[in-house]
Structures are given as C-alpha cells and as structure tokens.
Amino acid sequence: MEYFAQFGLWVTLILFLTFQIQPNYGFYLPGSYPHKYVVTDELWVKVNSLTSIDTEMPFSYYSLPFCQPEGGIKDSAENLGELLMGDRIENSPYRFKMHTNESEIYLCRVESLSGDQFKILKERIDQMYQVNLILDNLPAIRFTQKEGYFMRWTGYPVGVKIEDAYYVFNHLKFNVLVHKYEETNVARVMGTGDGAEMIPVGKEDSSEKPGYMVVGFEVIPCSIMHNADMAKNLKMYDKYPSSIRCDPATVAMPIKEGQPLVFTYEVTFEESDIKWPSRWDAYLKMEGAKVHWFSILNSLMVITFLAGIVLVIFLRTVRRDLTRYEELDKEAQAQMNEELSGWKLVVGDVFRAPSNPALLCVMVGDGVQILGMSVVTILFAALGFMSPASRGTLITGMLFFYMILGIAAGYVSVRLWRTIAFGDQKGWVSIAWKAACFFPGISFLILTTLNFLLWGSHSTGAIPFSLFVILILLWFCISVPLTLVGGYFGAKAPHIEYPVRTNQIPREIPQQKYPSWLLVLGAGTLPFGTLFIELFFIMSSIWMGRVYYVFGFLFVVLILLVLVCAEVSLVLTYMHLCVEDWKWWWKSFFASGSVALYIFLYSINYLVFDLKSLSGPVSATLYLGYSLFMVLAIMLSTGTIGFLSSFWFVHYLFSSVKLD
C-alpha cells in the first residue's frame, strides 16, 4: 500500500502543476490549442492517406497523379498511433490567405496520363477511395442530401464512374468558416501540432490586429472540363483565364489514357457563430443517442435478472444450509455429513489444481492487463483527453497503459500460480515471462502476417520496418521488465490459502445429462446481449469511416459488461458445483469468455451483410485478421472477470463451512 500511496501523491502533484501553469491563459486539452491568424496570413492544407470503406487499405495521396507542392513533398510529424492507423500526413499545394476570397486559381497541369496512371485512377474510383484534406487540424467535411436526409462525410471521392466513363474531380470549392479572435489576453501558441509553420512569428504588433480562428472546413468537389492548352504557360496560383462554375450535380472531365489533366480550386471565407471549442461538433455529432440508452437499459435488465439469481443463491440456498449446519450438535453434524448432497460433496476436490495451470495463470494475468488498459483508456477518452483533434492519441494511449500495466499482469499471474502450487515459489520467473509474451506474441504474429499483405499491396497501412523495431524494443525493454517486476512482487506477496484441504484421490464426477461445456458456451449470449448494440457503432467507426466519440456511453457499457460477466460466471460455477462437478476453473473462465465467440460470429455477419465482403480476398483477410486480434483480447479480459469472481465465490463459500 505504501507504493500505491507514493504513486498517488506523484499523480496528484503532476495534475496540480498541469492545471496551475499559466492560470490566466485558460486550460486546453492536449492537441487542442487555438491558432490565431491575421488577415492575409497564409494557410496551408495538408493531405492524409486515401481511404476506402470498400477495401480498408489506405494509400498515399501522391500515389495518384495529383499536383505536388513546389518545394517538394514533406512528411508531417506523426506519432506512434498515427503510423499504426495508416495515416500519412503530407503537405499539399493548396494555399489560402486568411479572410481573402479567391476563385479560379490554377494549380497545375498533369501531362498526359500514362497507362499505369490511367489504370490506377480507374481502380481507385471503382473502389470508392476518398481524398482526405486537413486545414488547421480540421478534416475537410462534405455535406450531401440524399433521400431527404442531410449527410456528412469527411473527405471527397477521387472521382465517379457513370456508365462506362470515369470522371475525376479536378476542381475543389473550399469554404472556410472562421470566428473572430476575441480573447486578446490569451498567449499566442508558437508551433504546436500541425500549425507550427502557420503562426506569424516576429510581429510585435500582430496581437493588436484583428485575428481569426478556423472553426470549419468544407469542400465541394467538381468535375470541370478545362482547356489543357490554355494552361500550358500558367504558373501555380495564377488566375485561370476562363470562368469556372462549380456544379457538384454534373460531371464533365472524363479521364483517358494519354490525355492531360488540369487542376484548379477556389476558396471563400465565411464568418461563423461557431465558437472555437465547438468546432469539432460537426464531426463528433452522432445520431442514435436513444439507441445507446436502449442498450444500457437492456443491459440493466439482464444485470437485475442475474443479480436476483445470485441473491437467491447466497441468501436462500447457501445461507440457509450453513445456518442449519451450525445449529446442529456434533452427533447430528456427523449424521448430516453422510447425507450431504450437491456442492458440499466436492469440498475435498473443489480446490484441486486444474489442468494446464500455468496457461490459466498466464491468461488471467494478461486479461487483467487488457481489462485495466481498457478501463483507463476509455475513462481518459470520456474525460476528453484523447480527442480526435489529436490524431493517434487513442492508440498511443492504449499502448502506453498496456505496457505500464504489465506490472499487474506479472503480479496476478505469479500470485495465482503460487496459490495453485500451495505457496511454492518455484517457476515464478517462467510464469512472468510467459505472461509478458503470450498475448503480445500472438498479436505480433497476427499483425506481421497482415503486414505482409499490406506491404504486397503497397498500402500506407503497412507498418514500416523501423516502427516494427520500435514496437519490439517497447515490448522487450519496457513491457517485459515491468511484467517481471510485477511477478517479483507476486512471488513475495503471501499466497491465498485454501479454506479446506484437498483429498489425495479425486472424486469421480457423476454422469451428466448434457455436456457441461454446452452450458458454458451458451452463457456467452448474456454478455453479448449487453454490448452488441454498442459494438455496431464501434465497428461502424472502425470500418465505415465514421467518428466514434461517445466514450461516456462506452464506459457505462463496460461497467455493465463487467457486472454481467461476473454474475454469469458465478451462477454457472454454482450450478456445476451443485451437480458435483468440481472442475470449475476453466469453465468459469470460458463461461464469460465465450462472449468472444459470438462477437467473432457477429464480425463475420457484419462483413457479409454490411461490408458486402469488402473488395477482394486481401481486404477480407485483413478484416478477419484484425477481428481475430480484437476477439482474443476480449476473450482474455472477459474470461478473467468470470474466473476472478468465481474464485472469490468458491473461496467465500467453502470458507464458511467447516467440513473435514
């Protein structure tokens, strides 16, 4: 407890300093600092990877014959999470001047399309790839109206296919929403995130000039038939000689092999009432709040039903039996011992070591690590510390918390191992090593296999070799040592003593009318019913390109899921003990862990009916591989909840009765 107290003091001190530094300037979450721009200041648009919900494989923006910036292509600073998500943020030639409307701006002329360029353009259009632009850390958003519904999309399509002709969107109409900079006492931020080069430096009187903040970035793509000959002598940012009328309802620029392409754009600035802290509302606004509440109410009903069963077990069955037993004298107790039935008959076998005890200890330890990471990450995200304004922070935070919680994995694995071995410390190092390598090793194998597929497809979703080396170093230089440290503390901590002795000869388990594992697999339907509605929104966010940010709902659902898993496993363990089945260890783990099986089946259903099996076997293989990785993590975490609750229940149950 002394170590935890010291850790809590350090955390409190760091948070205090964080909130007290520069109190007059207000508090902003990481990656969310406002940037002030004076009129005519230059704004530069950045580009991210091309994405598609049809293939789920991102590609570099400059893999297509688009205009390149005059100074060459430069990568923006990326964090670990961005790289793992396949983001490749680069500079672009699109340049604006704050609060200055411009039209008919010539960008570049791409010389005659080669056969390869023509082929790849057609493939990207067929596969519905989207171009993703970023201005002042805001993704470009596109509004469309379809069947009476107002829809929002991030990015815009590369082109469109009509009958047998392919049309490319070669003219972009930008609308930048700005809000007047009101807080003149707020210190200017010099060089934070993507806006480092955008902020004027060295202008002493810039704070006195009227400034604006970008609060919206909209794009309308158009297909315009340009005269390529008129653009031969034009330079980038020159005014195009003829007028351009952008009509998104019509297309006019078909692509053909050997034909040049001309790109243009226009920009308008519009003052908006949107405050800077609310500029992400258009992206984070998600429909279906009533559905989220329905999911929570549905889960509460399941929890109430299971809690009623648990109370019946504790208050009516167990408590009544124990009270009757304690009221009898010794002679009556001896006679009652001969008439015992149900769970009381397995008192000499209930704590007999399970098969493959080392594997069970390792899986429980890894489950504690994954569950702890999930709870902490979702809590921080619900508090707003992992905003989508800071791309990649969610993945980076998950990796950080997972590595730190290696201490918990080692501690739980080794202490459970010593409990099963009746306090013997022999082999604790091996258990800690296995806990440090079991889940990361399987994950590394899955991701490496998928990465070879992405490498072969030349996708930006492929993890670079240098990042592979970094991940391995993080694994063996941080996660493994911390797990070993946790294992050391687990070896030093007192093991949990069993309340009853175990017989030398195992008791024969009576023949059951139905296989016990059938009931275990069926138990996973209750936890699945708790989370399947929220699971739909999460999967739509991952695979359909939608933004998921209702982490408050997700945190509530996670708590409900923990309660359901604990209750389901506890009830099933009691049912097995009542039929004199003392092999409860693994069954308690998979009673709640079997929810992963239903999630995997749901993933296949989502692939077939929602994603239409994606486009090609490579994309489907990537989807199934990532789903398998997710399912493994869910199985370990939910199984751990069920096992620990059942272990506590069995220990409490048999510590309350004195049978020799």
Side-chain angles (χ1 to χ4, degrees):
M1 294 299 295
E2 181 181 354
Y3 296 104
F4 288 106
Q6 293 179 359
F7 178 75
L9 288 175
W10 276 107
V11 171
T12 304
L13 178 61
I14 292 172
L15 290 176
F16 175 79
L17 292 175
T18 302
F19 282 90
Q20 290 300 316
I21 290 175
Q22 298 179 340
N24 294 329
Y25 299 155
F27 174 69
Y28 297 104
L29 296 177
S32 60
Y33 296 104
H35 300 149
K36 173 187 174 183
Y37 302 99
V38 181
V39 177
T40 70
D41 276 353
E42 288 187 346
L43 303 176
W44 291 92
V45 176
K46 296 194 175 184
V47 292
N48 204 344
S49 299
L50 305 172
T51 56
S52 169
I53 61 173
D54 190 49
T55 65
E56 302 299 343
M57 289 190 296
F59 289 96
S60 170
Y61 173 83
Y62 292 107
S63 63
L64 294 181
F66 289 141
C67 300
Q68 299 186 5
E70 292 178 327
I73 301 172
K74 298 177 183 177
D75 293 332
S76 294
E78 294 167 318
N79 57 45
L80 188 62
E82 287 180 275
L83 292 172
L84 291 174
M85 291 170 61
D87 288 343
R88 296 296 183 271
I89 300 175
E90 299 162 314
N91 60 334
S92 82
Y94 292 103
R95 181 195 66 184
F96 308 151
K97 293 180 181 179
M98 172 55 73
H99 222 296
T100 304
N101 296 340
E102 297 178 279
S103 61
E104 299 157 2
I105 305 173
Y106 169 76
L107 200 60
C108 77
R109 177 180 185 269
V110 177
E111 297 302 328
S112 57
L113 292 176
S114 65
D116 292 338
Q117 290 176 329
F118 178 66
K119 179 181 177 182
I120 198 170
L121 259 178
K122 291 197 302 180
E123 288 179 356
R124 298 291 183 264
I125 293 174
D126 283 334
Q127 295 166 349
M128 299 184 295
Y129 269 87
Q130 302 280 320
V131 178
N132 299 294
L133 307 177
I134 302 170
L135 177 66
D136 193 43
N137 209 29
L138 276 180
I141 193 168
R142 178 169 54 98
F143 295 94
T144 58
Q145 191 170 1
K146 186 177 181 181
E147 298 178 358
Y149 291 96
F150 206 55
M151 306 178 68
R152 301 181 304 274
W153 307 88
T154 53
Y156 67 92
V158 173
V160 63
K161 180 183 179 182
I162 299 178
E163 295 180 351
D164 293 330
Y166 291 85
Y167 298 86
V168 68
F169 292 118
N170 60 338
H171 178 83
L172 300 180
K173 182 178 181 180
F174 296 105
N175 185 34
V176 182
L177 305 180
V178 295
H179 187 80
K180 185 168 287 189
Y181 199 82
E182 298 170 350
E183 300 179 63
T184 55
N185 62 329
V186 178
R188 285 173 294 147
V189 180
M190 297 300 181
T192 56
D194 289 340
E197 74 278 15
M198 303 180 194
I199 303 174
V201 180
K203 297 181 181 179
E204 297 179 358
D205 60 339
S206 60
S207 60
E208 300 175 359
K209 296 180 180 180
Y212 295 90
M213 297 173 292
V214 177
V215 294
F217 183 38
E218 302 172 3
V219 62
I220 299 175
C222 296
S223 178
I224 305 294
M225 176 60 77
H226 290 306
N227 188 336
D229 294 331
M230 295 175 60
K232 281 186 177 180
N233 300 322
L234 294 178
K235 295 182 180 179
M236 189 174 287
Y237 310 122
D238 285 347
K239 191 172 183 65
Y240 192 73
S242 63
S243 62
I244 300 174
R245 182 177 177 273
C246 180
D247 183 6
T250 61
V251 290
M253 185 60 213
I255 56 173
K256 298 178 181 178
E257 186 175 350
Q259 177 180 331
L261 282 176
V262 176
F263 290 88
T264 55
Y265 71 97
E266 60 184 283
V267 58
T268 57
F269 286 82
E270 177 184 344
E271 291 198 29
S272 171
D273 294 331
I274 299 174
K275 301 288 186 180
W276 186 86
S278 304
R279 66 178 193 159
W280 275 88
D281 288 356
Y283 305 88
L284 303 182
K285 184 179 180 181
M286 292 186 64
E287 293 79 7
K290 293 182 179 179
V291 178
H292 291 285
W293 283 116
F294 173 77
S295 173
I296 291 174
L297 292 175
N298 174 58
S299 305
L300 287 174
M301 292 179 61
V302 174
I303 288 175
T304 304
F305 172 73
L306 292 173
I309 297 177
V310 172
L311 287 175
V312 168
I313 292 173
F314 272 108
L315 299 181
R316 296 190 58 186
T317 307
V318 178
R319 184 71 66 181
R320 182 187 60 193
D321 290 349
L322 294 178
T323 302
R324 284 179 53 202
Y325 184 80
E326 290 171 356
E327 291 175 351
L328 298 176
D329 56 21
K330 292 185 178 180
E331 183 177 349
Q333 288 179 12
Q335 182 179 359
M336 184 180 178
N337 287 345
E338 298 177 359
E339 301 174 356
L340 291 178
S341 61
W343 59 270
K344 309 173 195 69
L345 291 173
V346 297
V347 65
D349 299 275
V350 70
F351 289 107
R352 189 177 302 280
S355 57
N356 300 315
L359 179 60
L360 178 63
C361 295
V362 168
M363 292 176 71
V364 170
D366 283 354
V368 168
Q369 187 177 10
I370 296 170
L371 180 64
M373 174 207 68
S374 303
V375 172
V376 176
T377 303
I378 295 174
L379 179 60
F380 270 77
L383 293 175
F385 285 94
M386 295 180 180
S387 166
S390 302
R391 288 178 300 274
T393 52
L394 188 65
I395 303 296
T396 305
M398 291 174 66
L399 285 174
F400 173 77
F401 293 132
Y402 180 81
M403 289 186 296
I404 296 298
L405 288 169
I407 296 178
Y411 178 85
V412 172
S413 297
V414 172
R415 194 173 184 196
L416 180 60
W417 169 256
R418 293 187 61 233
T419 298
I420 294 176
F422 299 98
D424 188 7
Q425 294 186 1
K426 184 179 179 182
W428 74 266
V429 176
S430 174
I431 295 296
W433 262 104
K434 291 175 181 177
C437 298
F438 179 74
F439 177 71
I442 297 176
S443 304
F444 188 78
L445 180 62
I446 294 174
L447 293 178
T448 302
T449 304
L450 299 180
N451 212 51
F452 278 117
L453 295 176
L454 291 169
W455 270 335
S457 302
H458 304 288
S459 170
T460 57
I463 301 175
F465 179 76
S466 58
L467 184 56
F468 253 109
V469 175
I470 293 174
L471 292 175
I472 294 175
L473 290 176
L474 290 175
W475 178 11
F476 285 101
C477 296
I478 298 180
S479 182
V480 171
L482 288 177
T483 308
L484 292 174
V485 169
Y488 172 79
F489 285 115
K492 294 297 181 182
H495 69 282
I496 302 173
E497 295 185 359
Y498 295 145
V500 294
R501 292 198 301 265
T502 302
N503 298 333
Q504 292 184 351
I505 302 175
R507 178 185 180 86
E508 184 178 354
I509 300 175
Q511 185 71 27
Q512 306 298 325
K513 294 181 180 179
Y514 50 86
S516 59
W517 283 102
L518 189 63
L519 190 61
V520 169
L521 292 177
T525 56
L526 291 175
F528 179 74
T530 304
L531 59 82
F532 83 96
I533 295 179
E534 207 65 31
L535 183 65
F536 170 79
F537 288 100
I538 294 174
M539 297 192 71
S540 297
S541 172
I542 296 174
W543 302 108
M544 301 292 286
R546 300 171 185 169
V547 178
Y548 183 91
Y549 202 60
V550 285
F551 288 102
F553 283 114
L554 185 60
F555 187 71
V556 173
V557 170
L558 178 62
I559 295 175
L560 298 178
L561 177 65
V562 170
L563 293 176
V564 171
C565 288
E567 291 174 347
V568 162
S569 185
L570 190 150
V571 171
L572 253 72
T573 299
Y574 180 75
M575 292 176 62
H576 283 111
L577 294 178
C578 285
V579 295
E580 302 176 30
D581 185 356
W582 47 267
K583 294 183 178 181
W584 60 272
W585 300 77
W586 281 107
K587 292 172 185 176
S588 66
F589 185 93
F590 286 111
S592 54
S594 61
V595 65
L597 173 64
Y598 298 96
I599 292 177
F600 188 71
L601 294 176
Y602 179 81
S603 301
I604 296 176
N605 173 80
Y606 191 84
L607 171 65
V608 174
F609 294 102
D610 290 271
L611 298 179
K612 308 298 182 184
S613 300
L614 293 177
S615 177
V618 174
S619 299
T621 303
L622 289 171
Y623 173 86
L624 292 175
Y626 289 127
S627 298
L628 185 63
F629 169 75
M630 176 185 68
V631 163
L632 175 63
I634 293 174
M635 183 198 70
L636 292 175
S637 55
T638 54
T640 296
I641 297 168
F643 172 80
L644 293 179
S645 61
S646 294
F647 185 86
W648 170 83
F649 169 71
V650 173
H651 192 278
Y652 171 81
L653 179 63
F654 285 92
S655 63
S656 302
V657 60
K658 309 300 180 189
L659 291 175
D660 295 320

